Amino acid sequence: MSLPQQVSRAKLLERYSFRFLILLALLLPLILWGASKIKIGSASAHAWLPEGRIERTQYEWFTNRFGSDQYLIVSWDSCAMSDHRLEALANKIRELDSVPTSDRPQPLVDSIQTSTDIFKSLVEPPLSLSPANARARLEGSFLGKDGTAAVFVRFNSEGIAQQKQSIELVRSAADQIEGLGREPLQMVGSIYEGFAVDEAAEKSLKRLVLPSSLMGVLLAWLCLRSVRGALTVLLIGGIGQLIAVAVVALTGGEFSAVLIVLPTLVFMLTLSAAVHFMNYYGDVAYSHRDHLGARAILLGLKPSVLATLTTSLGMIALATSQLSPVRTFGLYSASCLCLAAVVLFLAFPKLSDWLCRTRYLASQSALRDHNQEERLGSHDSSPPVSPWASAYASWVKSHYGMICTLGFSLLAISFYGLWHLKSSTKFDDMFPKNSPTRESMAWIEEHLGPIASVEILLQFSKPTDLEPYDQLVWVDRVTQELRSNPDIGGVASAVTFLPKIPSGGRIRDVSKRAVMRTEIAKQFDQLIQRGLVAQDSESIAWRITTKVSALSKLNYGELTQRVRQSVEPIEKEQQAFKTIYTGLSPVMHDTQLALLDDLGSSFTTAFLLITPVMMLIARGIRAGLLIMVPNILPETLVFGMMAWLGYSIDIAGILTASVAMGIAVNDTLHFVNWYTHRLELGDTREQAIADSFSNCGKAMIHTMLISCCSMLPFLLAEFNPTRQFATLMIAMMSSSILGDLVLLPALLLSPLGRTSKTQI
């Protein structure tokens, strides 16, 4: 491009920049208003379930026939069946729920029972069990072995959707009970789990986003050594962050614990890109005195546009996920990043000139006067190569064989470790061990019983020769077998609420069975109403609820397998029924498997989307594949080491693979763009590497430091997936520097780096 063309384009870009800044100032109130409308969304377990898989289909079939299995269990120290506060709390919840308020215009509660209510239904007519027998049936499910009682609240669909209001309803009721209050309450259940996740997300948004932004700005100031330069990148990154929040709010989205890192991610990426442009700004100030901001944009536009494209492609790869929160994160992050990039490209020219022109002209003028050396090429007016860059390039050339061998060895070891990577969706893994949420779970399991449920459905196909009583016999046999399993803490089924089935051969037992056969047929509709049996035109299903420990080291799949081991021998003995295992625990195990599938598919999709772009930049298939090697090193290294060290990946962790690849490619593009530019001017490969180190290396290190420090505050999050996201991002961005500034130069200087066109 000729000099007049450069000046003409720079002037045109300046005019657009000025107009855009005016438009941005006019739109800023709308952006701020939109950002103020953010909502913390529900983290309901249903939002984490993989779609289109048989486990979810079975779970939906179960809830459609038996109703929701999402209960809230409420208890406190010394809560026994004789405690008058037990019944008082249940009544107060019903009373408050029946009175509409602005926060809850509709009732939230479907039903409420206490341990006392259930116990009385067993010891009073018509069942009339002995107290000891009744206690034995309820222990582990509705009553603790030490006599601890609880309130069991089942919420309707509105209550499940409005988890915060549901929990506040119970707490408000407790505040109005003399001698109780909300502080002593111990609560567990999927409703409370969702509320706890939402609460952690809200606290993270309020407490950590601002410190994260300040950390990024502080590092930008230290790296750029300019208050005005730091202010420039802060304004652009801050506007990008506000736009991200406003886009989510104005499109009806909600910030879940997964999406909570979006504003910081957009701020971090925009700030990092702005730092690269400040680096270009210093380069153009070395040889020009006018239109510096526009010239900087034109100089770095190609790699920056491609970096935005590749990073967005990495995020779009998450749209292949089976999990709704992951798909939402991918689509929002890609769109918000593109909008922030537009702000950067159009706002930077005039904003940087207003704030930084005088300072940068003075510093670069002094550098130019100090250095009288002529650069290679008659039209080359770039800053001189730093001595350290030349020395480092020479060292890399001398040791490229060792570096490449070590790099490929790390890749091989990490890839092997990936095959052993485990995932986790257990709720207790989402919070620190000393958190109130975990402590409440431990208290309930110690005093009442296990809290994770596996629902077993004995399904009898229609038509069947088995009468309800005959079906109940099988239910009783399975129930008794499950109760004898030491891994199962409690079992509840229709057998729990019916007289004991006589098994002897005496005349008295035969007559009892005849009477009971008639009674069961009469009570069949009542069993359906109580949610213990369901039927349709194709089958009759009897429900057995088993309780297993949510704090066990076993994952949900292993817990479900323990339940299967008790049932399958009976099922195979005489194929009278078909068994379905469902409930949140088995489905969350399926989610756990989906996490690993998503990790592989999103990483592969990101690689397939980004690699063609790199081939285009490198002007060749082999060259494109070559420069992708350093960009897959951070992900494979970090996830491989996780597997080797025995750590598990969670739902937020899978976001990092494709996102980190996009970020790593960002720096690679700037480095390769400068490298090819120097080759075109006639540099040798070693000289081009030295020049790229001198002009891009510092900015690459700066962006890594800024990005990592922006993530540091999230290590203090109360939600472990958010902490894991921050930890993995820091690890991957740190290791990406090894790929871009060590392995990539070694590959370019090796025999693999020779091509006919660009010598890459």
Side-chain angles (χ1 to χ4, degrees), residues 259-301:
L259 202 60
I260 203 70
V261 296
L262 174 65
T264 297
L265 186 64
V266 173
F267 176 79
M268 176 186 71
L269 293 173
T270 309
L271 195 73
S272 299
V275 169
H276 272 291
F277 278 113
M278 290 307 302
N279 183 58
Y280 289 126
Y281 194 90
D283 291 340
V284 297
Y286 183 82
S287 53
H288 301 282
R289 299 191 63 81
D290 56 357
H291 317 300
L292 301 183
R295 290 179 188 271
I297 289 291
L298 293 175
L299 179 61
L301 186 62

mmCIF file of all heavy atoms in Angstrom, residues 259-301:
data_model
loop_
_atom_site.group_PDB
_atom_site.id
_atom_site.type_symbol
_atom_site.label_atom_id
_atom_site.label_comp_id
_atom_site.label_asym_id
_atom_site.label_seq_id
_atom_site.Cartn_x
_atom_site.Cartn_y
_atom_site.Cartn_z
ATOM 1 N N LEU A 259 -22.399 -18.668 33.567
ATOM 2 C CA LEU A 259 -22.309 -17.453 32.743
ATOM 3 C C LEU A 259 -21.686 -16.284 33.500
ATOM 4 O O LEU A 259 -21.390 -15.255 32.905
ATOM 5 C CB LEU A 259 -23.710 -17.074 32.250
ATOM 6 C CG LEU A 259 -23.806 -16.181 31.006
ATOM 7 C CD1 LEU A 259 -23.153 -16.844 29.809
ATOM 8 C CD2 LEU A 259 -25.257 -15.852 30.705
ATOM 9 N N ILE A 260 -21.466 -16.448 34.796
ATOM 10 C CA ILE A 260 -21.010 -15.339 35.628
ATOM 11 C C ILE A 260 -19.625 -14.841 35.213
ATOM 12 O O ILE A 260 -19.266 -13.682 35.457
ATOM 13 C CB ILE A 260 -21.006 -15.769 37.118
ATOM 14 C CG1 ILE A 260 -21.088 -14.545 38.015
ATOM 15 C CG2 ILE A 260 -19.780 -16.583 37.451
ATOM 16 C CD1 ILE A 260 -22.416 -13.867 37.979
ATOM 17 N N VAL A 261 -18.831 -15.691 34.557
ATOM 18 C CA VAL A 261 -17.481 -15.277 34.152
ATOM 19 C C VAL A 261 -17.485 -14.551 32.813
ATOM 20 O O VAL A 261 -16.438 -14.048 32.390
ATOM 21 C CB VAL A 261 -16.532 -16.494 34.071
ATOM 22 C CG1 VAL A 261 -16.347 -17.131 35.426
ATOM 23 C CG2 VAL A 261 -17.046 -17.522 33.065
ATOM 24 N N LEU A 262 -18.640 -14.461 32.149
ATOM 25 C CA LEU A 262 -18.697 -13.828 30.828
ATOM 26 C C LEU A 262 -18.214 -12.381 30.830
ATOM 27 O O LEU A 262 -17.376 -12.013 29.998
ATOM 28 C CB LEU A 262 -20.118 -13.928 30.262
ATOM 29 C CG LEU A 262 -20.354 -13.172 28.950
ATOM 30 C CD1 LEU A 262 -19.522 -13.785 27.822
ATOM 31 C CD2 LEU A 262 -21.837 -13.180 28.576
ATOM 32 N N PRO A 263 -18.722 -11.495 31.730
ATOM 33 C CA PRO A 263 -18.254 -10.101 31.691
ATOM 34 C C PRO A 263 -16.739 -9.979 31.851
ATOM 35 O O PRO A 263 -16.096 -9.207 31.129
ATOM 36 C CB PRO A 263 -18.994 -9.452 32.871
ATOM 37 C CG PRO A 263 -20.188 -10.298 33.100
ATOM 38 C CD PRO A 263 -19.757 -11.686 32.774
ATOM 39 N N THR A 264 -16.175 -10.742 32.777
ATOM 40 C CA THR A 264 -14.728 -10.689 32.979
ATOM 41 C C THR A 264 -13.986 -11.243 31.777
ATOM 42 O O THR A 264 -12.933 -10.720 31.386
ATOM 43 C CB THR A 264 -14.346 -11.474 34.241
ATOM 44 O OG1 THR A 264 -14.954 -10.847 35.362
ATOM 45 C CG2 THR A 264 -12.845 -11.500 34.443
ATOM 46 N N LEU A 265 -14.516 -12.299 31.162
ATOM 47 C CA LEU A 265 -13.860 -12.882 29.991
ATOM 48 C C LEU A 265 -13.816 -11.881 28.841
ATOM 49 O O LEU A 265 -12.773 -11.711 28.189
ATOM 50 C CB LEU A 265 -14.601 -14.153 29.565
ATOM 51 C CG LEU A 265 -13.965 -14.959 28.433
ATOM 52 C CD1 LEU A 265 -12.615 -15.500 28.857
ATOM 53 C CD2 LEU A 265 -14.883 -16.095 28.005
ATOM 54 N N VAL A 266 -14.945 -11.216 28.582
ATOM 55 C CA VAL A 266 -14.985 -10.217 27.506
ATOM 56 C C VAL A 266 -14.063 -9.050 27.837
ATOM 57 O O VAL A 266 -13.335 -8.545 26.976
ATOM 58 C CB VAL A 266 -16.429 -9.734 27.275
ATOM 59 C CG1 VAL A 266 -16.464 -8.570 26.285
ATOM 60 C CG2 VAL A 266 -17.294 -10.883 26.771
ATOM 61 N N PHE A 267 -14.089 -8.599 29.106
ATOM 62 C CA PHE A 267 -13.211 -7.506 29.527
ATOM 63 C C PHE A 267 -11.744 -7.902 29.337
ATOM 64 O O PHE A 267 -10.940 -7.121 28.810
ATOM 65 C CB PHE A 267 -13.478 -7.184 31.000
ATOM 66 C CG PHE A 267 -12.562 -6.135 31.577
ATOM 67 C CD1 PHE A 267 -12.777 -4.788 31.335
ATOM 68 C CD2 PHE A 267 -11.481 -6.499 32.368
ATOM 69 C CE1 PHE A 267 -11.935 -3.827 31.867
ATOM 70 C CE2 PHE A 267 -10.629 -5.553 32.907
ATOM 71 C CZ PHE A 267 -10.862 -4.203 32.653
ATOM 72 N N MET A 268 -11.415 -9.104 29.739
ATOM 73 C CA MET A 268 -10.038 -9.585 29.649
ATOM 74 C C MET A 268 -9.574 -9.664 28.204
ATOM 75 O O MET A 268 -8.475 -9.201 27.855
ATOM 76 C CB MET A 268 -9.952 -10.960 30.307
ATOM 77 C CG MET A 268 -8.611 -11.647 30.223
ATOM 78 S SD MET A 268 -8.723 -13.327 30.886
ATOM 79 C CE MET A 268 -9.676 -14.121 29.592
ATOM 80 N N LEU A 269 -10.403 -10.220 27.319
ATOM 81 C CA LEU A 269 -10.021 -10.368 25.916
ATOM 82 C C LEU A 269 -9.932 -9.015 25.216
ATOM 83 O O LEU A 269 -9.018 -8.780 24.407
ATOM 84 C CB LEU A 269 -11.033 -11.266 25.202
ATOM 85 C CG LEU A 269 -11.056 -12.732 25.644
ATOM 86 C CD1 LEU A 269 -12.197 -13.475 24.983
ATOM 87 C CD2 LEU A 269 -9.740 -13.407 25.317
ATOM 88 N N THR A 270 -10.883 -8.123 25.514
ATOM 89 C CA THR A 270 -10.858 -6.798 24.893
ATOM 90 C C THR A 270 -9.665 -6.000 25.384
ATOM 91 O O THR A 270 -8.992 -5.320 24.604
ATOM 92 C CB THR A 270 -12.166 -6.044 25.207
ATOM 93 O OG1 THR A 270 -13.289 -6.870 24.886
ATOM 94 C CG2 THR A 270 -12.257 -4.758 24.399
ATOM 95 N N LEU A 271 -9.409 -6.079 26.682
ATOM 96 C CA LEU A 271 -8.260 -5.376 27.251
ATOM 97 C C LEU A 271 -6.960 -5.891 26.648
ATOM 98 O O LEU A 271 -6.057 -5.105 26.307
ATOM 99 C CB LEU A 271 -8.246 -5.567 28.768
ATOM 100 C CG LEU A 271 -7.336 -4.646 29.588
ATOM 101 C CD1 LEU A 271 -7.919 -3.251 29.639
ATOM 102 C CD2 LEU A 271 -7.181 -5.188 30.999
ATOM 103 N N SER A 272 -6.854 -7.206 26.487
ATOM 104 C CA SER A 272 -5.641 -7.793 25.922
ATOM 105 C C SER A 272 -5.442 -7.346 24.479
ATOM 106 O O SER A 272 -4.319 -7.018 24.060
ATOM 107 C CB SER A 272 -5.718 -9.318 25.992
ATOM 108 O OG SER A 272 -5.825 -9.750 27.329
ATOM 109 N N ALA A 273 -6.527 -7.339 23.689
ATOM 110 C CA ALA A 273 -6.424 -6.884 22.298
ATOM 111 C C ALA A 273 -6.034 -5.415 22.240
ATOM 112 O O ALA A 273 -5.240 -4.998 21.383
ATOM 113 C CB ALA A 273 -7.750 -7.112 21.582
ATOM 114 N N ALA A 274 -6.577 -4.605 23.160
ATOM 115 C CA ALA A 274 -6.233 -3.185 23.202
ATOM 116 C C ALA A 274 -4.757 -2.992 23.542
ATOM 117 O O ALA A 274 -4.108 -2.066 23.041
ATOM 118 C CB ALA A 274 -7.117 -2.466 24.211
ATOM 119 N N VAL A 275 -4.198 -3.861 24.383
ATOM 120 C CA VAL A 275 -2.773 -3.783 24.710
ATOM 121 C C VAL A 275 -1.934 -4.041 23.465
ATOM 122 O O VAL A 275 -0.900 -3.386 23.237
ATOM 123 C CB VAL A 275 -2.419 -4.786 25.829
ATOM 124 C CG1 VAL A 275 -0.914 -4.917 25.988
ATOM 125 C CG2 VAL A 275 -3.050 -4.347 27.142
ATOM 126 N N HIS A 276 -2.352 -5.018 22.641
ATOM 127 C CA HIS A 276 -1.641 -5.256 21.387
ATOM 128 C C HIS A 276 -1.652 -3.996 20.513
ATOM 129 O O HIS A 276 -0.637 -3.647 19.894
ATOM 130 C CB HIS A 276 -2.285 -6.420 20.624
ATOM 131 C CG HIS A 276 -1.740 -7.758 21.000
ATOM 132 N ND1 HIS A 276 -0.455 -8.154 20.691
ATOM 133 C CD2 HIS A 276 -2.309 -8.794 21.662
ATOM 134 C CE1 HIS A 276 -0.256 -9.385 21.146
ATOM 135 N NE2 HIS A 276 -1.363 -9.799 21.737
ATOM 136 N N PHE A 277 -2.796 -3.303 20.462
ATOM 137 C CA PHE A 277 -2.879 -2.086 19.642
ATOM 138 C C PHE A 277 -2.044 -0.954 20.242
ATOM 139 O O PHE A 277 -1.505 -0.121 19.509
ATOM 140 C CB PHE A 277 -4.332 -1.661 19.458
ATOM 141 C CG PHE A 277 -5.030 -2.406 18.358
ATOM 142 C CD1 PHE A 277 -6.069 -3.279 18.635
ATOM 143 C CD2 PHE A 277 -4.633 -2.245 17.041
ATOM 144 C CE1 PHE A 277 -6.696 -3.974 17.617
ATOM 145 C CE2 PHE A 277 -5.261 -2.938 16.013
ATOM 146 C CZ PHE A 277 -6.301 -3.808 16.297
ATOM 147 N N MET A 278 -1.942 -0.910 21.569
ATOM 148 C CA MET A 278 -1.053 0.088 22.167
ATOM 149 C C MET A 278 0.396 -0.212 21.794
ATOM 150 O O MET A 278 1.214 0.708 21.625
ATOM 151 C CB MET A 278 -1.210 0.096 23.689
ATOM 152 C CG MET A 278 -2.537 0.661 24.195
ATOM 153 S SD MET A 278 -2.962 2.303 23.558
ATOM 154 C CE MET A 278 -1.553 3.266 24.088
ATOM 155 N N ASN A 279 0.706 -1.496 21.646
ATOM 156 C CA ASN A 279 2.037 -1.879 21.180
ATOM 157 C C ASN A 279 2.264 -1.396 19.750
ATOM 158 O O ASN A 279 3.320 -0.837 19.414
ATOM 159 C CB ASN A 279 2.185 -3.397 21.270
ATOM 160 C CG ASN A 279 3.569 -3.868 20.872
ATOM 161 O OD1 ASN A 279 4.565 -3.471 21.454
ATOM 162 N ND2 ASN A 279 3.631 -4.731 19.860
ATOM 163 N N TYR A 280 1.245 -1.594 18.890
ATOM 164 C CA TYR A 280 1.333 -1.084 17.519
ATOM 165 C C TYR A 280 1.383 0.444 17.508
ATOM 166 O O TYR A 280 2.039 1.051 16.649
ATOM 167 C CB TYR A 280 0.131 -1.564 16.697
ATOM 168 C CG TYR A 280 0.153 -3.039 16.373
ATOM 169 C CD1 TYR A 280 -0.919 -3.861 16.695
ATOM 170 C CD2 TYR A 280 1.236 -3.617 15.725
ATOM 171 C CE1 TYR A 280 -0.907 -5.219 16.394
ATOM 172 C CE2 TYR A 280 1.260 -4.976 15.416
ATOM 173 C CZ TYR A 280 0.183 -5.764 15.760
ATOM 174 O OH TYR A 280 0.206 -7.098 15.458
ATOM 175 N N TYR A 281 0.689 1.052 18.447
ATOM 176 C CA TYR A 281 0.683 2.516 18.533
ATOM 177 C C TYR A 281 2.108 3.031 18.754
ATOM 178 O O TYR A 281 2.538 4.013 18.135
ATOM 179 C CB TYR A 281 -0.219 2.956 19.691
ATOM 180 C CG TYR A 281 -0.583 4.420 19.691
ATOM 181 C CD1 TYR A 281 -1.723 4.861 19.036
ATOM 182 C CD2 TYR A 281 0.207 5.358 20.356
ATOM 183 C CE1 TYR A 281 -2.075 6.215 19.044
ATOM 184 C CE2 TYR A 281 -0.132 6.697 20.368
ATOM 185 C CZ TYR A 281 -1.279 7.113 19.709
ATOM 186 O OH TYR A 281 -1.610 8.458 19.709
ATOM 187 N N GLY A 282 2.850 2.361 19.632
ATOM 188 C CA GLY A 282 4.235 2.747 19.851
ATOM 189 C C GLY A 282 5.087 2.537 18.611
ATOM 190 O O GLY A 282 5.989 3.337 18.319
ATOM 191 N N ASP A 283 4.785 1.461 17.838
ATOM 192 C CA ASP A 283 5.546 1.205 16.616
ATOM 193 C C ASP A 283 5.344 2.318 15.587
ATOM 194 O O ASP A 283 6.309 2.798 14.981
ATOM 195 C CB ASP A 283 5.140 -0.144 16.016
ATOM 196 C CG ASP A 283 5.596 -1.311 16.873
ATOM 197 O OD1 ASP A 283 6.508 -1.121 17.693
ATOM 198 O OD2 ASP A 283 5.018 -2.408 16.729
ATOM 199 N N VAL A 284 4.083 2.735 15.366
ATOM 200 C CA VAL A 284 3.827 3.768 14.347
ATOM 201 C C VAL A 284 4.308 5.130 14.836
ATOM 202 O O VAL A 284 4.683 5.988 14.021
ATOM 203 C CB VAL A 284 2.335 3.815 13.956
ATOM 204 C CG1 VAL A 284 1.901 2.498 13.330
ATOM 205 C CG2 VAL A 284 1.448 4.149 15.142
ATOM 206 N N ALA A 285 4.317 5.357 16.142
ATOM 207 C CA ALA A 285 4.809 6.634 16.674
ATOM 208 C C ALA A 285 6.310 6.776 16.475
ATOM 209 O O ALA A 285 6.846 7.892 16.537
ATOM 210 C CB ALA A 285 4.461 6.751 18.162
ATOM 211 N N TYR A 286 6.973 5.653 16.227
ATOM 212 C CA TYR A 286 8.425 5.687 15.989
ATOM 213 C C TYR A 286 8.741 6.384 14.666
ATOM 214 O O TYR A 286 9.785 7.030 14.537
ATOM 215 C CB TYR A 286 8.961 4.255 15.981
ATOM 216 C CG TYR A 286 10.463 4.155 15.809
ATOM 217 C CD1 TYR A 286 11.309 4.313 16.897
ATOM 218 C CD2 TYR A 286 11.025 3.897 14.549
ATOM 219 C CE1 TYR A 286 12.684 4.224 16.746
ATOM 220 C CE2 TYR A 286 12.396 3.805 14.393
ATOM 221 C CZ TYR A 286 13.226 3.966 15.491
ATOM 222 O OH TYR A 286 14.590 3.873 15.332
ATOM 223 N N SER A 287 7.847 6.249 13.671
ATOM 224 C CA SER A 287 8.155 6.768 12.333
ATOM 225 C C SER A 287 7.120 7.748 11.789
ATOM 226 O O SER A 287 7.277 8.253 10.681
ATOM 227 C CB SER A 287 8.305 5.602 11.346
ATOM 228 O OG SER A 287 7.165 4.764 11.396
ATOM 229 N N HIS A 288 6.030 8.009 12.532
ATOM 230 C CA HIS A 288 4.985 8.926 12.067
ATOM 231 C C HIS A 288 4.621 9.891 13.187
ATOM 232 O O HIS A 288 4.851 9.613 14.367
ATOM 233 C CB HIS A 288 3.737 8.155 11.620
ATOM 234 C CG HIS A 288 3.999 7.175 10.507
ATOM 235 N ND1 HIS A 288 4.129 7.556 9.189
ATOM 236 C CD2 HIS A 288 4.170 5.829 10.527
ATOM 237 C CE1 HIS A 288 4.353 6.490 8.436
ATOM 238 N NE2 HIS A 288 4.387 5.425 9.230
ATOM 239 N N ARG A 289 3.985 11.019 12.782
ATOM 240 C CA ARG A 289 3.592 12.015 13.780
ATOM 241 C C ARG A 289 2.099 12.330 13.728
ATOM 242 O O ARG A 289 1.606 13.107 14.549
ATOM 243 C CB ARG A 289 4.382 13.313 13.568
ATOM 244 C CG ARG A 289 5.885 13.140 13.717
ATOM 245 C CD ARG A 289 6.592 14.473 13.756
ATOM 246 N NE ARG A 289 6.192 15.265 14.916
ATOM 247 C CZ ARG A 289 6.697 15.098 16.144
ATOM 248 N NH1 ARG A 289 7.598 14.150 16.375
ATOM 249 N NH2 ARG A 289 6.294 15.862 17.142
ATOM 250 N N ASP A 290 1.380 11.768 12.759
ATOM 251 C CA ASP A 290 -0.051 12.056 12.640
ATOM 252 C C ASP A 290 -0.838 10.755 12.445
ATOM 253 O O ASP A 290 -0.299 9.737 12.033
ATOM 254 C CB ASP A 290 -0.316 13.010 11.470
ATOM 255 C CG ASP A 290 0.237 12.479 10.149
ATOM 256 O OD1 ASP A 290 0.860 11.401 10.159
ATOM 257 O OD2 ASP A 290 0.053 13.149 9.120
ATOM 258 N N HIS A 291 -2.137 10.827 12.771
ATOM 259 C CA HIS A 291 -3.068 9.700 12.602
ATOM 260 C C HIS A 291 -2.526 8.418 13.251
ATOM 261 O O HIS A 291 -2.642 7.318 12.693
ATOM 262 C CB HIS A 291 -3.354 9.436 11.120
ATOM 263 C CG HIS A 291 -3.590 10.663 10.302
ATOM 264 N ND1 HIS A 291 -4.619 11.544 10.587
ATOM 265 C CD2 HIS A 291 -2.934 11.165 9.209
ATOM 266 C CE1 HIS A 291 -4.590 12.538 9.694
ATOM 267 N NE2 HIS A 291 -3.570 12.336 8.854
ATOM 268 N N LEU A 292 -1.943 8.532 14.426
ATOM 269 C CA LEU A 292 -1.275 7.375 15.044
ATOM 270 C C LEU A 292 -2.257 6.259 15.393
ATOM 271 O O LEU A 292 -1.972 5.073 15.165
ATOM 272 C CB LEU A 292 -0.509 7.823 16.295
ATOM 273 C CG LEU A 292 0.569 8.894 16.098
ATOM 274 C CD1 LEU A 292 1.282 9.174 17.408
ATOM 275 C CD2 LEU A 292 1.558 8.473 15.029
ATOM 276 N N GLY A 293 -3.396 6.634 15.999
ATOM 277 C CA GLY A 293 -4.368 5.612 16.381
ATOM 278 C C GLY A 293 -4.902 4.858 15.189
ATOM 279 O O GLY A 293 -5.014 3.619 15.209
ATOM 280 N N ALA A 294 -5.218 5.585 14.118
ATOM 281 C CA ALA A 294 -5.736 4.946 12.911
ATOM 282 C C ALA A 294 -4.661 4.080 12.260
ATOM 283 O O ALA A 294 -4.936 2.980 11.776
ATOM 284 C CB ALA A 294 -6.231 6.007 11.936
ATOM 285 N N ARG A 295 -3.417 4.564 12.237
ATOM 286 C CA ARG A 295 -2.324 3.779 11.660
ATOM 287 C C ARG A 295 -2.100 2.491 12.462
ATOM 288 O O ARG A 295 -1.802 1.431 11.889
ATOM 289 C CB ARG A 295 -1.038 4.602 11.643
ATOM 290 C CG ARG A 295 -1.031 5.759 10.648
ATOM 291 C CD ARG A 295 0.287 6.513 10.735
ATOM 292 N NE ARG A 295 0.281 7.729 9.964
ATOM 293 C CZ ARG A 295 0.630 7.810 8.667
ATOM 294 N NH1 ARG A 295 0.981 6.704 8.031
ATOM 295 N NH2 ARG A 295 0.621 8.967 8.041
ATOM 296 N N ALA A 296 -2.225 2.586 13.787
ATOM 297 C CA ALA A 296 -2.056 1.395 14.627
ATOM 298 C C ALA A 296 -3.132 0.353 14.320
ATOM 299 O O ALA A 296 -2.851 -0.848 14.238
ATOM 300 C CB ALA A 296 -2.089 1.787 16.099
ATOM 301 N N ILE A 297 -4.370 0.820 14.144
ATOM 302 C CA ILE A 297 -5.455 -0.098 13.810
ATOM 303 C C ILE A 297 -5.195 -0.754 12.463
ATOM 304 O O ILE A 297 -5.342 -1.977 12.309
ATOM 305 C CB ILE A 297 -6.811 0.643 13.793
ATOM 306 C CG1 ILE A 297 -7.236 1.009 15.214
ATOM 307 C CG2 ILE A 297 -7.893 -0.201 13.120
ATOM 308 C CD1 ILE A 297 -7.622 -0.166 16.084
ATOM 309 N N LEU A 298 -4.785 0.040 11.466
ATOM 310 C CA LEU A 298 -4.529 -0.511 10.135
ATOM 311 C C LEU A 298 -3.366 -1.504 10.163
ATOM 312 O O LEU A 298 -3.392 -2.517 9.464
ATOM 313 C CB LEU A 298 -4.234 0.624 9.151
ATOM 314 C CG LEU A 298 -5.413 1.559 8.845
ATOM 315 C CD1 LEU A 298 -4.974 2.720 7.963
ATOM 316 C CD2 LEU A 298 -6.562 0.793 8.182
ATOM 317 N N LEU A 299 -2.358 -1.218 10.984
ATOM 318 C CA LEU A 299 -1.204 -2.109 11.078
ATOM 319 C C LEU A 299 -1.574 -3.457 11.699
ATOM 320 O O LEU A 299 -1.116 -4.507 11.256
ATOM 321 C CB LEU A 299 -0.096 -1.441 11.902
ATOM 322 C CG LEU A 299 1.190 -2.258 12.113
ATOM 323 C CD1 LEU A 299 1.851 -2.566 10.768
ATOM 324 C CD2 LEU A 299 2.146 -1.512 13.035
ATOM 325 N N GLY A 300 -2.408 -3.415 12.730
ATOM 326 C CA GLY A 300 -2.751 -4.659 13.438
ATOM 327 C C GLY A 300 -4.125 -5.200 13.121
ATOM 328 O O GLY A 300 -4.584 -6.143 13.767
ATOM 329 N N LEU A 301 -4.798 -4.616 12.115
ATOM 330 C CA LEU A 301 -6.185 -5.008 11.842
ATOM 331 C C LEU A 301 -6.298 -6.461 11.395
ATOM 332 O O LEU A 301 -7.164 -7.199 11.881
ATOM 333 C CB LEU A 301 -6.783 -4.084 10.781
ATOM 334 C CG LEU A 301 -8.283 -4.288 10.502
ATOM 335 C CD1 LEU A 301 -9.100 -4.004 11.756
ATOM 336 C CD2 LEU A 301 -8.743 -3.405 9.342
#
